Amino acid sequence: TPIMQATMLSIPDLIKKKRDGNALSDDDIQFFLQAVVENNIQEAQTGAMLMAIFMKGMVATETMALTKAMKLSGEVLSWPEEWAGLVVDKHSTGGVGDKVSLVLAPALAACGLKVPMISGRGLSHTGGTLDKLESIPGFNVSQPFPKLRSILAEVGCVIVGQTVSLVPADRILYALRDATSTVESLPLITGSIISKKAAESLNSLVLDVKFGRSAICKDLASAKALGESLVTAGNNLGMNTRAVFTHMSNPIGRCIGNSVEVIESLETLKGKGPSDLMELVSTLGGVLLVMTGKVSSLSEGGRLITESVTGGAALAKFQAMMVAQGVSNENAQSLCSAQADYHRILRRADHQTELRTHTQGVVMEIDGLVLAEVLHQLGAGRTNAGEPINHSVGAELLVSLGESVNKGRPWLRIHFESPALTPDQTSRLEGALTLGGSGDKPLRGSLIEEMIPPM
């Protein structure tokens, strides 16, 4: 091929070039990815290149070339001309109880935008949007492109998984990054996230970059390094891209798991959602409404998103999306009705147990990471891609931050099946709750820290 002739370097030469800390050319990167996708490379060589990139890093031009070549490794979606400027998406770097997409996608559709949300599954402690939706009987996250386009035309939002033809380079590299301990590499994370979004041919993308104890980035500085890399790559590929930095220590909302988070999302779409979840939905949605020129200010955008949720327009979109993606009319209607009996449709775990407070005090903090890790062990998450999970396993918080509680007050309900909670898991869960004295106030105000570029 012309690229092979232009490069004239073998795969071992390319690995050596990166291993020794030199920058790879655009042709080098394209040659490497072509070999990966066409399977003209040994797995050991791909792993060695990933480790070289992990150890030596990449300069901005390399990251850009990597992201662009990954995007072009497969099909790139195209949309009708009349949707110009309206195609948007949101990506979160992952948190605990992060059900924002389930509320935000239909809210954006209700505001007239098109949302082709290509989402992920849960790995390690972060829950995947697809896993949550698959706890709804019949919901199909695999839709061929013509069907995806028709759902977007009719409903305005669709939430699906990555197809075989979309960014195949990422699917191969992602699995190997997991196996070679090269997941936390800035250029590789940037390439993976932005190539998939660029293949959606978006006009605008907002990134929810989370930081704190329950996030991948533990502090604001590392979140900013990631956010800046993502924003630069997105803008360079022709997508209007912004990052919002948000706190992620306590769980978002009150539910963690799959079925239980669907229930909380539906309650939110009925106007009864927790304030922290609504803050994230209205801010991220408001940013996209400003970016697409639908509104002139963030406050106006946030108000429109909130009204679409509290007024029922977003719920109607969610109901239509469920039906379009395979849920029966009857079940979709029943889940969206005012007095829904959720567990008639969504499977409830066989056992529930409640944890009680050991002392009185003010709820200062709830460690989301501990809750997520224990639920993962109980079957709510997966350690390896492709493993089955139990959608009914989850947790419900029965107290709020800043609330005064007496000794013996139930504060957490765990939904479990088999395995049952071990004494060690119970004591870990008990340690996740921090109570303060009567005059204490929890630190958390707004979850939103800042944005780049600022608004």
Side-chain angles (χ1 to χ4, degrees):
T1 67
I3 289 170
M4 284 186 172
Q5 286 151 13
T7 304
M8 299 307 286
L9 287 178
S10 65
I11 292 290
D13 289 333
L14 287 183
I15 295 169
K16 181 173 185 290
K17 189 173 176 181
K18 182 70 324 211
R19 180 201 74 189
D20 294 345
N22 298 306
L24 299 173
S25 70
D26 292 13
D27 283 345
D28 291 342
I29 289 167
Q30 214 171 331
F31 176 50
F32 166 66
L33 283 178
Q34 195 175 327
V36 168
V37 173
E38 293 173 0
N39 204 14
N40 292 332
I41 186 172
Q42 297 171 33
E43 212 168 67
Q45 292 175 315
T46 306
M49 178 64 96
L50 291 172
M51 186 56 79
I53 294 169
F54 182 93
M55 298 304 287
K56 297 296 179 178
M58 280 183 150
V59 296
T61 49
E62 286 179 287
T63 304
M64 184 64 223
L66 175 75
T67 309
K68 189 173 183 182
M70 286 175 72
K71 168 196 166 178
L72 297 174
S73 70
E75 183 182 18
V76 175
L77 305 184
S78 58
W79 309 113
E81 272 173 36
E82 58 269 27
W83 296 359
L86 300 178
V87 184
V88 303
D89 200 357
K90 180 271 307 184
H91 177 82
S92 162
T93 55
V96 176
D98 186 357
K99 55 201 72 75
V100 168
S101 295
L102 277 64
V103 183
L104 180 60
L108 290 166
C111 293
L113 297 179
K114 300 292 181 188
V115 192
M117 199 173 268
I118 295 176
S119 202
R121 296 195 178 279
L123 254 185
S124 73
H125 79 272
T126 58
T129 299
L130 301 181
D131 296 311
K132 292 166 195 177
L133 289 169
E134 282 182 337
S135 59
I136 305 169
F139 198 106
N140 185 358
V141 298
S142 303
Q143 301 290 344
F145 181 58
K147 180 80 164 90
L148 187 145
R149 194 195 289 233
S150 75
I151 295 172
L152 271 186
E154 181 198 334
V155 181
C157 58
V158 62
I159 304 178
V160 292
Q162 191 179 349
T163 62
V164 178
S165 59
L166 206 74
V167 197
D170 178 62
R171 218 179 44 258
I172 299 163
L173 293 183
Y174 196 89
L176 287 174
R177 276 167 60 205
D178 226 32
T180 54
S181 293
T182 51
V183 172
E184 310 87 343
S185 156
L186 256 181
L188 294 176
I189 292 170
T190 302
S192 178
I193 292 172
I194 298 298
S195 64
K196 284 185 289 218
K197 295 302 175 189
E200 292 177 23
S201 300
L202 302 177
N203 301 106
S204 299
L205 170 66
V206 69
L207 300 155
D208 179 359
V209 183
K210 298 192 173 297
F211 67 96
R213 204 175 37 238
S214 308
I216 294 168
C217 300
K218 299 304 176 193
D219 53 50
L220 183 57
S222 59
K224 279 185 137 169
L226 174 57
E228 281 163 9
S229 179
L230 293 169
V231 167
T232 301
N235 284 320
N236 282 340
L237 280 181
M239 289 183 294
N240 188 0
T241 308
R242 283 179 183 272
V244 180
F245 299 97
T246 66
H247 292 267
M248 185 67 249
S249 291
N250 300 287
I252 299 166
R254 284 187 159 216
C255 293
I256 309 149
N258 292 297
S259 285
V260 291
E261 287 195 45
V262 169
I263 293 172
E264 185 169 37
S265 301
L266 284 162
E267 283 293 292
T268 302
L269 287 163
K270 293 171 191 179
K272 296 178 277 191
S275 58
D276 56 348
L277 174 58
M278 277 310 297
E279 183 193 21
L280 290 170
V281 170
S282 62
T283 303
L284 295 164
V287 167
L288 283 170
L289 289 179
V290 173
M291 288 167 79
T292 52
K294 287 268 185 192
V295 297
S296 54
S297 72
L298 190 53
S299 59
E300 191 190 348
R303 187 176 52 77
L304 272 185
I305 294 285
T306 303
E307 284 171 5
S308 81
V309 174
T310 53
L315 179 66
K317 289 291 185 188
F318 191 81
Q319 184 174 333
M321 180 177 78
M322 281 197 285
V323 172
Q325 292 194 236
V327 179
S328 73
N329 251 318
E330 185 201 353
N331 279 355
Q333 208 167 348
S334 171
L335 286 170
C336 294
S337 66
Q339 303 301 317
D341 175 6
Y342 294 115
H343 290 299
R344 197 177 64 73
I345 295 162
L346 305 174
R347 201 165 77 77
R348 186 182 175 91
D350 291 342
H351 309 289
Q352 283 76 34
T353 187
E354 290 181 359
L355 272 62
R356 294 173 182 268
T357 54
H358 290 310
T359 56
Q360 64 174 37
V362 175
V363 179
M364 297 296 286
E365 207 172 30
I366 295 157
D367 190 334
L369 183 59
V370 170
L371 268 56
E373 286 173 347
V374 172
L375 290 173
H376 182 266
Q377 291 164 0
L378 294 175
R382 58 174 68 78
T383 307
N384 298 306
E387 285 178 344
I389 59 167
N390 187 331
H391 292 104
S392 68
V393 171
E396 279 174 89
L397 293 171
L398 308 175
V399 296
S400 301
L401 286 185
E403 192 178 335
S404 292
V405 294
N406 292 324
K407 182 182 174 181
R409 160 83 187 270
W411 72 274
L412 182 70
R413 182 181 296 128
I414 296 283
H415 299 252
F416 67 97
E417 292 197 326
S418 142
L421 272 172
T422 64
D424 173 60
Q425 288 168 336
T426 303
S427 82
R428 283 198 73 201
L429 290 172
E430 285 172 344
L433 175 69
T434 304
L435 296 178
S438 57
D440 291 338
K441 285 248 184 328
L443 288 172
R444 177 156 108 189
S446 168
L447 288 183
I448 314 295
E449 182 65 30
E450 58 181 279
M451 301 183 193
I452 53 170
M455 253 184 169

